[in-house]
Amino acid sequence: MDTGVALCDNCASLILGCVTCSSPSSCDICDTNWALDGRAGTCSCDTGYFLPARGSTCDPCDYTCEMCDTTPANCLSCSAPHNRALDTLASTCPCVYGYTDTGVTACTSCSSLFEGCLECTATDCITCDGTNYFHLVTTSFSMCDCLPTYYGSALGVCSPCDYPCLSCATSSSNCLSCPTGSFRTLQTTGACPCDPGYADVGVAVCQSCSTLMSGCLDCSSSTTCTTCDTAG
């Protein structure tokens, strides 16, 4: 740039971050990671970059910040599409509720990491979706599982097992266990039929045939006796 002296000055020495200038106070093209203010003719750090104290080049902000100042992690603004919100006291961009930081710009939803999870870290679920019948289960890490007497009928959905089952899997009628004291015995087919001498009356606990029909030893339903007590 010709400044009226024998030696031309470098645009960057006149206007910070400038590559090409038309006058000592008007930049035309800014360097990489700098953005041009066409009206002012100056350069400022681009979004996601900041100018360190006494620095001459723009450094990248921390991956959590949309814009920062002074230091990489001193956030001025956060990216809402990346599910981050500004903590004005700490000048940080933590993930919003229901999302967690996995070391990249965009926060990851807890439900995508742990089925039925509402709040989490990158490695553990903290709160499960109780309204959809999930509860917290802790083994080597914490995750969500359907409550007893429920099963995972679809992604993120727990549905009730049929009444003959204490627990079930893949379908409501595919029992894994039968209710204790219900006079039911688990079969290899996944059914929990009533024991001999008992009938299904539409609830978990089977009723004795003799209670349903006087003198009946065995029955196929609450109204059909198949074996009578001939001894009496």
Side-chain angles (χ1 to χ4, degrees), residues 213 216-221 224-228:
M213 292 168 283
C216 185
L217 294 179
D218 200 9
C219 52
S220 57
S221 71
T224 304
C225 185
T226 56
T227 305
C228 295

PDB file of all heavy atoms in Angstrom, residues 213 216-221 224-228:
ATOM      1  N   MET A 213     -67.066 -73.958  41.324  1.00  0.00           N
ATOM      2  CA  MET A 213     -68.170 -74.913  41.131  1.00  0.00           C
ATOM      3  C   MET A 213     -68.060 -76.002  42.194  1.00  0.00           C
ATOM      4  O   MET A 213     -67.039 -76.709  42.255  1.00  0.00           O
ATOM      5  CB  MET A 213     -68.095 -75.525  39.718  1.00  0.00           C
ATOM      6  CG  MET A 213     -68.379 -74.526  38.601  1.00  0.00           C
ATOM      7  SD  MET A 213     -67.954 -75.161  36.945  1.00  0.00           S
ATOM      8  CE  MET A 213     -66.160 -74.996  36.975  1.00  0.00           C
ATOM      9  N   CYS A 216     -66.213 -79.709  42.104  1.00  0.00           N
ATOM     10  CA  CYS A 216     -65.389 -79.784  40.889  1.00  0.00           C
ATOM     11  C   CYS A 216     -63.909 -79.877  41.250  1.00  0.00           C
ATOM     12  O   CYS A 216     -63.398 -79.081  42.049  1.00  0.00           O
ATOM     13  CB  CYS A 216     -65.635 -78.557  40.001  1.00  0.00           C
ATOM     14  SG  CYS A 216     -64.773 -78.635  38.409  1.00  0.00           S
ATOM     15  N   LEU A 217     -63.219 -80.841  40.660  1.00  0.00           N
ATOM     16  CA  LEU A 217     -61.788 -81.017  40.904  1.00  0.00           C
ATOM     17  C   LEU A 217     -60.937 -80.330  39.840  1.00  0.00           C
ATOM     18  O   LEU A 217     -59.861 -79.821  40.129  1.00  0.00           O
ATOM     19  CB  LEU A 217     -61.434 -82.506  40.935  1.00  0.00           C
ATOM     20  CG  LEU A 217     -62.029 -83.324  42.079  1.00  0.00           C
ATOM     21  CD1 LEU A 217     -61.605 -84.779  41.957  1.00  0.00           C
ATOM     22  CD2 LEU A 217     -61.586 -82.757  43.428  1.00  0.00           C
ATOM     23  N   ASP A 218     -61.419 -80.339  38.616  1.00  0.00           N
ATOM     24  CA  ASP A 218     -60.672 -79.707  37.527  1.00  0.00           C
ATOM     25  C   ASP A 218     -61.664 -79.070  36.554  1.00  0.00           C
ATOM     26  O   ASP A 218     -62.786 -79.574  36.384  1.00  0.00           O
ATOM     27  CB  ASP A 218     -59.810 -80.741  36.788  1.00  0.00           C
ATOM     28  CG  ASP A 218     -58.684 -80.085  36.002  1.00  0.00           C
ATOM     29  OD1 ASP A 218     -58.469 -78.860  36.169  1.00  0.00           O
ATOM     30  OD2 ASP A 218     -58.016 -80.792  35.219  1.00  0.00           O
ATOM     31  N   CYS A 219     -61.236 -77.962  35.940  1.00  0.00           N
ATOM     32  CA  CYS A 219     -62.153 -77.239  35.046  1.00  0.00           C
ATOM     33  C   CYS A 219     -61.374 -76.574  33.938  1.00  0.00           C
ATOM     34  O   CYS A 219     -60.196 -76.240  34.098  1.00  0.00           O
ATOM     35  CB  CYS A 219     -62.982 -76.219  35.830  1.00  0.00           C
ATOM     36  SG  CYS A 219     -61.998 -75.095  36.873  1.00  0.00           S
ATOM     37  N   SER A 220     -62.032 -76.389  32.819  1.00  0.00           N
ATOM     38  CA  SER A 220     -61.399 -75.736  31.671  1.00  0.00           C
ATOM     39  C   SER A 220     -61.707 -74.245  31.630  1.00  0.00           C
ATOM     40  O   SER A 220     -61.056 -73.489  30.916  1.00  0.00           O
ATOM     41  CB  SER A 220     -61.875 -76.383  30.364  1.00  0.00           C
ATOM     42  OG  SER A 220     -63.296 -76.323  30.265  1.00  0.00           O
ATOM     43  N   SER A 221     -62.682 -73.820  32.391  1.00  0.00           N
ATOM     44  CA  SER A 221     -63.022 -72.408  32.512  1.00  0.00           C
ATOM     45  C   SER A 221     -63.757 -72.211  33.823  1.00  0.00           C
ATOM     46  O   SER A 221     -63.998 -73.166  34.579  1.00  0.00           O
ATOM     47  CB  SER A 221     -63.894 -71.950  31.330  1.00  0.00           C
ATOM     48  OG  SER A 221     -65.190 -72.501  31.432  1.00  0.00           O
ATOM     49  N   THR A 224     -67.032 -74.273  33.297  1.00  0.00           N
ATOM     50  CA  THR A 224     -67.031 -75.626  32.716  1.00  0.00           C
ATOM     51  C   THR A 224     -66.160 -76.576  33.550  1.00  0.00           C
ATOM     52  O   THR A 224     -64.928 -76.433  33.562  1.00  0.00           O
ATOM     53  CB  THR A 224     -66.521 -75.617  31.267  1.00  0.00           C
ATOM     54  OG1 THR A 224     -67.305 -74.705  30.499  1.00  0.00           O
ATOM     55  CG2 THR A 224     -66.601 -77.009  30.655  1.00  0.00           C
ATOM     56  N   CYS A 225     -66.789 -77.484  34.247  1.00  0.00           N
ATOM     57  CA  CYS A 225     -66.059 -78.469  35.039  1.00  0.00           C
ATOM     58  C   CYS A 225     -65.736 -79.665  34.140  1.00  0.00           C
ATOM     59  O   CYS A 225     -66.566 -80.119  33.351  1.00  0.00           O
ATOM     60  CB  CYS A 225     -66.905 -78.923  36.218  1.00  0.00           C
ATOM     61  SG  CYS A 225     -66.015 -80.058  37.341  1.00  0.00           S
ATOM     62  N   THR A 226     -64.494 -80.156  34.248  1.00  0.00           N
ATOM     63  CA  THR A 226     -64.093 -81.327  33.447  1.00  0.00           C
ATOM     64  C   THR A 226     -63.920 -82.585  34.288  1.00  0.00           C
ATOM     65  O   THR A 226     -63.988 -83.695  33.762  1.00  0.00           O
ATOM     66  CB  THR A 226     -62.767 -81.011  32.713  1.00  0.00           C
ATOM     67  OG1 THR A 226     -61.773 -80.630  33.670  1.00  0.00           O
ATOM     68  CG2 THR A 226     -62.946 -79.901  31.693  1.00  0.00           C
ATOM     69  N   THR A 227     -63.727 -82.415  35.608  1.00  0.00           N
ATOM     70  CA  THR A 227     -63.579 -83.566  36.508  1.00  0.00           C
ATOM     71  C   THR A 227     -64.298 -83.264  37.805  1.00  0.00           C
ATOM     72  O   THR A 227     -64.005 -82.275  38.470  1.00  0.00           O
ATOM     73  CB  THR A 227     -62.094 -83.888  36.799  1.00  0.00           C
ATOM     74  OG1 THR A 227     -61.405 -84.076  35.563  1.00  0.00           O
ATOM     75  CG2 THR A 227     -61.981 -85.149  37.647  1.00  0.00           C
ATOM     76  N   CYS A 228     -65.229 -84.120  38.168  1.00  0.00           N
ATOM     77  CA  CYS A 228     -65.990 -83.932  39.419  1.00  0.00           C
ATOM     78  C   CYS A 228     -65.404 -84.829  40.514  1.00  0.00           C
ATOM     79  O   CYS A 228     -64.765 -85.858  40.252  1.00  0.00           O
ATOM     80  CB  CYS A 228     -67.463 -84.263  39.211  1.00  0.00           C
ATOM     81  SG  CYS A 228     -68.299 -83.136  38.065  1.00  0.00           S
TER      82      CYS A 228
END
